[in-house]
Amino acid sequence: MGEIGKLGFGFMRLPLIERDGEQIIDIEQAKQMVDIFMEAGFTYFDTARGYHLGKSEGALKEALVDRYPRESFQIASKLPAWASKGADHSRAMFDKSLRETGAGYFDFFLMHNMGEGRTKAFDEQGIWDFLFEKKDAGLIRNLGLSFHDKADVFAEVLDSHPPVDFVQLQINYADWENSLVESRKCYEVARERNLPVIVMEPVKGGSLVRLPAAATDVLRAANPDVSIASWGLRFAASLPGVLTVLSGMSTPDQVRDNVKTMTELGPLTEDERAALEQVRAILAAIPTVPCTSCQYCVEGCPEGINIPVVLNALNVVTLFDDKAMASNEYDWRTADARASSCIECGACENACPQHIAIIDELKRAVELFEKNPA
Ligand code: SF4
Ligand code: SF4
């Protein structure tokens, strides 16, 4: 598998610009970010069929594949069998990923977002065999899976299928002992099987970047010279067996900060670990919605509701007690489809790896932002 830099570039939260009234990926800024990342010696890029509503793979081609020699970087993409219309559609998705990225082959390829009711689609559609055939044909160099469910389910999935080359897990200091996510336990399942781990959500979709004041104070006191985001990256990168830590970066400054974190800052000290324990306790006491803005729920919503935006607005109220700011964000970012347009079909809850009771949360948003606006 070879050595890979400890920072991976997730193509799921790219910068956006408005064009003809539509939000599209700002490809010129994405190119700039890729250049900063590559110049710093990092080479791992992570995309997926569904990121940016199907536009991420094409952006990766434009910003990276068309501009750098193929052997100078690694590409990972993913297949979400649970979101397809059946085996033929899933197989076509793989071909489309190859075509859209222009990669020629995938250095890493994942069965996407396994766990809960989603796992069976990969079995029923014969996706395991299909992807091992692609590996034998040289179109995949390392085959793995990303997973969101309990650790015992994870172990069962791994032990009842042919061995994969690596796994991708949600690991961050806030979720390490979270009983819904079971970060630590899933990590241990992988370690027991000598599986390299790629870390996703090291800053929990950005929520560990903008912390409540009490938590920020603890981290600033422990080390005033580093960014708040750096704590999440260093926590994940310090774990043995971690191949790389993905960050879904949105600005050149975020790339620079993450590069600095991974090149200049060493592993966490004992005092820093103690500070993170304090922060974990502070966060655990605040009842936020555990949305990571992964967007998996968005594409399947028949009403086009931007669910993570709604949930983020709820969290802004909880974390910062700022209903005016949250209402403002809710108003302009849900103008096309308010939470009240939900028909309770449940498609979003089936897709959500964080087990969020989305329908109930949307009802809460209706009460808070639509019936009783700030
Ligand atoms: S339950 Fe509501 S929010 Fe979820 S997919 Fe259906 S309409 Fe969209
Ligand atoms: S609600 Fe769930 S699926 Fe949707 S963005 Fe949040 S974490 Fe992802």
Side-chain angles (χ1 to χ4, degrees), residues 330-358:
Y330 181 86
D331 282 348
W332 76 267
R333 294 198 65 193
T334 66
D336 292 341
R338 302 286 188 207
S340 52
S341 58
C342 173
I343 57 170
E344 303 189 23
C345 67
C348 53
E349 295 190 356
N350 290 338
C352 178
Q354 309 299 332
H355 327 278
I356 296 169
I358 295 172

Side-chain angles (χ1 to χ4, degrees), residues 59-289:
L60 189 68
K61 178 177 190 299
E62 222 178 319
L64 173 75
V65 180
D66 289 347
R67 301 172 61 238
Y68 285 88
R70 180 63 186 89
E71 293 300 326
S72 65
F73 54 82
Q74 296 86 33
I75 287 186
S77 193
K78 316 185 187 77
L79 197 161
W82 43 269
S84 89
K85 299 184 187 98
D88 289 346
H89 185 205
S90 288
R91 287 163 183 253
M93 278 189 195
F94 179 84
D95 294 339
K96 191 165 186 184
S97 289
L98 260 187
R99 203 168 51 244
E100 298 244 323
T101 56
Y105 62 91
F106 291 112
D107 304 272
F108 293 78
F109 197 82
L110 300 92
M111 289 171 269
H112 194 180
N113 189 12
M114 285 192 131
E116 300 170 327
R118 301 176 299 275
T119 305
K120 65 178 188 303
F122 295 89
D123 292 313
E124 290 169 358
Q125 296 177 19
I127 298 302
W128 288 81
D129 290 343
F130 170 70
L131 292 177
F132 275 105
E133 282 164 21
K134 295 295 179 190
K135 189 178 173 195
D136 289 343
L139 295 175
I140 294 172
R141 296 200 169 165
N142 298 284
L143 179 59
L145 57 92
S146 63
F147 189 84
H148 293 272
D149 201 342
K150 302 283 187 186
D152 57 345
V153 180
F154 183 38
E156 202 272 328
V157 168
L158 291 174
D159 295 344
S160 61
H161 290 91
V164 289
D165 301 308
F166 70 100
V167 293
Q168 185 163 309
L169 298 174
Q170 175 169 330
I171 293 179
N172 58 65
Y173 61 80
D175 288 330
W176 191 237
E177 300 294 348
N178 180 326
S179 59
L180 280 178
V181 181
E182 295 197 342
S183 257
R184 176 181 57 77
K185 289 181 181 172
C186 286
Y187 165 75
E188 287 169 359
V189 166
R191 291 293 288 158
E192 284 159 9
R193 289 157 182 77
N194 287 320
L195 283 168
V197 175
I198 292 176
V199 172
M200 57 183 160
E201 305 292 3
V203 291
K204 207 168 160 58
S207 56
L208 301 185
V209 176
R210 195 170 64 155
L211 293 169
T216 303
D217 290 348
V218 169
L219 296 184
R220 290 268 182 254
N223 189 340
D225 300 323
V226 301
S227 69
I228 298 300
S230 71
W231 290 86
L233 265 63
R234 289 170 73 211
F235 173 82
S238 300
L239 295 166
V242 165
L243 199 59
T244 195
V245 178
L246 301 178
S247 176
M249 297 174 275
S250 305
T251 66
D253 279 349
Q254 284 177 5
V255 182
R256 288 188 194 97
D257 183 56
N258 287 347
V259 161
K260 181 174 174 219
T261 298
M262 292 307 207
T263 52
E264 295 179 18
L265 306 180
L268 294 170
T269 64
E270 280 309 308
D271 285 350
E272 287 173 331
R273 285 187 181 282
L276 279 188
E277 280 298 327
Q278 273 182 269
V279 170
R280 192 182 297 155
I282 291 169
L283 295 178
I286 303 172
T288 51
V289 186

Side-chain angles (χ1 to χ4, degrees), residues 315-326:
N315 282 346
V316 167
V317 175
T318 308
L319 285 169
F320 307 108
D321 195 21
D322 192 339
K323 187 172 171 185
M325 180 167 78

